[in-house]
Amino acid sequence: MSLVNGLPAHVLLVHFVVVLVPLTALALVVCAVWPPAARRMGLVLPILALVTLASVPLTTGAGEWLEKHVSSNTLIQRHAELGDGLLPWALGLFVLAAAVWWTTRRSPAQRDGARSASAVRIAAAVLSVAVSAGAVVDVYRIGDSGAKAAWQDGYSKTATGSADRG
C-alpha cells in the first residue's frame, strides 16, 4: 500500500498502530491480572491483538515505500530502524492475548483444582506486563523519532502572526 487519497498511506496507517498497540497492551494487562475481565471480553482480546499485529506490517510496509520517496537523512533512517523492531512486540501481544483468553475460557470446575493453572496465570500476567510495557515504550520511541524526522526544521519556533488575525 502506497497512497490513500493522494497521501502516503504510512501517514494514515501509523495512527492505527499508535492507538491499537497501547489499547491492546492495556486490555492484555487487565485481562491477565483480572481473569473475570478476560472471561467478559472473550474473543475480543485475541481479535484485538490480531488486528494490532496485522496493522504493524501494513504500516511498516507503507513506511518503506515512503522512505524511498523522501530525501533520506539520519532521522528517517533511525525511524525506519526503530519501526522494524515493533513486529516482535506485536507478535508477543498476540501470543499472550491468545494464551490469556485460552486459560480463562475454561469452566469454573476446570479452574478450581489446578495449582498449575494459577502458576500459568501468574506467569502470563508477568509476561503480559513486561511485553505490554515494551510494546508501548517501543511505539513511543518510534513515534518520537518519526515526529522528529517529519518536523525537524519544518516549522517556525516563533508565531508567524497569521493566527492573530481576528
Side-chain angles (χ1 to χ4, degrees), residues 18-159:
V18 167
V19 170
L20 288 175
V21 170
L23 180 64
T24 302
L26 177 62
L28 174 60
V29 169
V30 168
C31 289
V33 172
W34 191 31
R39 286 189 289 279
R40 180 170 226 137
M41 280 191 77
L43 271 173
V44 172
L45 178 64
I47 290 171
L48 175 63
L50 182 62
V51 170
T52 301
L53 176 60
S55 72
V56 171
L58 284 174
T59 304
T60 55
E64 289 168 1
W65 178 90
L66 181 57
E67 183 180 15
K68 293 174 187 168
H69 291 83
V70 296
S71 300
S72 186
N73 61 41
T74 56
L75 293 173
I76 290 171
Q77 291 168 359
R78 176 72 176 144
H79 176 63
E81 289 169 7
L82 288 171
D84 288 338
L86 185 58
L87 188 58
W89 290 111
L91 181 60
L93 289 173
F94 173 70
V95 168
L96 286 165
V100 166
W101 168 76
W102 184 260
T103 59
T104 57
R105 70 189 247 324
R106 296 179 296 174
S107 70
Q110 290 173 313
R111 286 191 304 266
D112 286 343
R115 249 189 181 175
S116 64
S118 73
V120 168
R121 279 197 306 268
I122 291 169
V126 170
L127 284 172
S128 295
V129 169
V131 170
S132 293
V136 170
V137 167
D138 204 34
V139 164
Y140 171 81
R141 291 177 65 222
I142 295 164
D144 182 60
S145 70
K148 286 177 181 171
W151 292 100
Q152 185 74 20
D153 299 327
Y155 67 96
S156 173
K157 293 184 181 181
T158 59

